[in-house]
Amino acid sequence: MEDQACPRCKTTKYRNPSLKLMVNVCGHALCESCVDLLFLKGSGSCPECNVPLRRSNFRIQMFEDSKVEKEVDIRKRLLKDYNKKEEDFSTLKDFNDYLEEIETIVFNLTNNVDIIGTNKRIEQYKKDNKDVIMKNKTRAGREEIELEEILDMEKQEEEQRRAEIIRLEKEAKKRKIREKEALIDELMFSQENAKNIINTFTQNVINTKEEIKPPAPIAKQVSQFSTGVKFTRGSSALPPLPQIIEGPLYVYNPPPNVIVQGPSPPEFKDLESTGYMRHISTETTAEKAGGYTSHLACLKSLQEALAGLYHVNS
């Protein structure tokens, strides 16, 4: 808490738990009270870097590191104009160079490197790509509207489903009260065995619970969003995923008899009794979890060592 302090009035979060630090385009933090004092005359500049500031540009600091806060704000403002997509480029290399240029600009503005030259670079980009920027902004606006429509539909459907569940719960409570009253009347006035009456009542309750089910969610279709909302504003349904035809399952077939030019290695079960495992290190728990055992390694080494002992070049 001591680290979260206003650099102007030195108030800390420890002394004032309700302290709100605010940042501007320069990335330096001020508490809310100091911001109000700074703009008593209508204009002000940052106490640390003397950059002219606007009251409307101040926002509550979200990150502890003011440099991170500055970078997030710069990136957000920059991406409003640098809004090209991969399909706007002819090659993947051009798109990657474009992304690299964005990161270079963000780095320069965040670390105060060649600010004038970087701002000129941004203005030149805006002039050269004015039409593309406007087109992508319009496209992004349509996507946001569609997303809002989807969220509204999901919210309405969820409210309807919740209301239906509440209605069913109320009906179930009323039905339980009626059933209990009927059971009491039956026990009081009926001449039948009380045990049989209770068993019949219990069975009826079980059957009623099986019949009542909560409302099922809306079925999803391929040409619709997850909520069932159809694609709108000229957008078409996504193409179906290509069907993957799986081949037959793998079946292990032991290898044919391998002709080795050397003595036969010992059997796997005889490795311990014949003493081959004496000088082999035991596998660790991690190696054993991965499928490795010292017996397999020993047998493989013996097979490789004995396979060519009798080999003679012809």
Side-chain angles (χ1 to χ4, degrees):
M1 288 186 177
E2 289 290 344
D3 294 337
Q4 300 182 26
C6 175
R8 187 171 182 272
C9 64
K10 309 303 179 184
T11 304
T12 63
K13 191 78 172 176
Y14 179 78
R15 287 188 236 165
N16 182 11
S18 62
L19 177 71
K20 291 183 180 179
L21 294 178
M22 307 183 73
V23 293
N24 209 301
V25 292
C26 63
H28 296 128
L30 287 174
C31 69
E32 196 171 16
S33 300
C34 289
V35 171
D36 293 335
L37 292 173
L38 186 66
F39 289 93
L40 283 176
K41 297 181 180 180
S43 63
S45 58
C46 177
E48 295 192 30
C49 61
N50 293 323
V51 173
L53 303 176
R54 292 183 180 179
R55 179 67 178 86
S56 59
N57 290 337
F58 271 99
R59 65 195 182 282
I60 297 177
Q61 182 174 342
M62 303 296 295
F63 302 93
E64 291 185 8
D65 191 347
S66 59
K67 200 169 188 178
V68 175
E69 190 78 36
K70 181 179 179 181
E71 180 182 344
V72 170
D73 180 63
I74 290 172
R75 191 179 296 276
K76 183 178 179 181
R77 288 186 287 110
L78 187 67
L79 291 181
K80 290 181 180 179
D81 296 315
Y82 281 77
N83 54 8
K84 289 184 179 180
K85 306 294 183 182
E86 185 176 352
E87 55 267 23
D88 295 327
F89 297 88
S90 56
T91 63
L92 180 60
K93 183 180 182 304
D94 294 338
F95 179 59
N96 290 332
D97 292 341
Y98 170 76
L99 297 178
E100 186 68 27
E101 180 184 1
I102 293 176
E103 295 304 319
T104 302
I105 293 174
V106 172
F107 177 83
N108 290 348
L109 296 179
T110 304
N111 297 277
N112 299 323
V113 178
D114 190 19
I115 298 295
I116 297 176
T118 304
N119 287 328
K120 288 182 179 179
R121 187 174 175 182
I122 296 173
E123 293 300 324
Q124 186 63 39
Y125 170 83
K126 290 181 182 179
K127 291 179 182 178
D128 297 340
N129 301 273
K130 184 177 180 181
D131 296 337
V132 178
I133 292 172
M134 291 302 298
K135 183 186 72 172
N136 288 338
K137 282 184 178 180
T138 304
R139 181 172 58 185
R142 287 199 301 268
E143 292 175 354
E144 289 178 1
I145 292 173
E146 290 181 358
L147 181 60
E148 289 178 359
E149 291 177 353
I150 295 169
L151 295 176
D152 288 341
M153 290 296 294
E154 286 183 347
K155 186 177 180 181
Q156 292 175 8
E157 290 167 2
E158 184 62 27
E159 289 177 353
Q160 292 175 1
R161 190 168 183 272
R162 192 180 295 112
E164 182 67 15
I165 292 174
I166 293 173
R167 185 184 66 81
L168 291 176
E169 289 177 350
K170 289 181 178 179
E171 290 183 357
K173 288 180 180 179
K174 292 179 180 179
R175 186 176 61 255
K176 285 181 180 179
I177 294 173
R178 291 195 299 268
E179 290 172 351
K180 287 181 180 179
E181 292 175 350
L183 176 62
I184 293 172
D185 292 342
E186 188 76 14
L187 292 172
M188 289 177 63
F189 302 109
S190 177
Q191 302 299 324
E192 295 185 16
N193 190 348
K195 186 176 181 181
N196 295 334
I197 294 174
I198 293 174
N199 290 337
T200 304
F201 172 78
T202 305
Q203 188 61 40
N204 291 335
V205 170
I206 294 173
N207 295 336
T208 305
K209 285 183 178 179
E210 292 178 352
E211 293 176 0
I212 300 174
K213 295 181 180 179
I218 297 175
K220 300 176 182 179
Q221 301 180 11
V222 177
S223 61
Q224 298 177 349
F225 289 105
S226 60
T227 57
V229 180
K230 295 183 179 180
F231 293 104
T232 57
R233 303 186 181 275
S235 57
S236 57
L238 296 174
L241 294 174
Q243 185 178 5
I244 300 176
I245 301 175
E246 297 182 356
L249 297 177
Y250 172 77
V251 179
Y252 172 75
N253 294 317
N257 294 330
V258 180
I259 300 174
V260 295
Q261 297 177 338
S264 299
E267 295 292 332
F268 184 83
K269 58 185 176 56
D270 298 330
L271 291 176
E272 196 76 44
S273 59
T274 52
Y276 286 106
M277 298 300 300
R278 273 183 217 155
H279 305 293
I280 304 297
S281 59
T282 307
E283 68 275 1
T284 63
T285 305
E287 291 171 342
K288 195 172 183 179
Y292 170 84
T293 63
S294 55
H295 288 71
L296 290 175
C298 179
L299 181 60
K300 183 177 180 182
S301 299
L302 288 170
Q303 290 172 343
E304 293 177 351
L306 301 175
L309 284 181
Y310 300 159
H311 177 68
V312 179
N313 289 328
S314 56

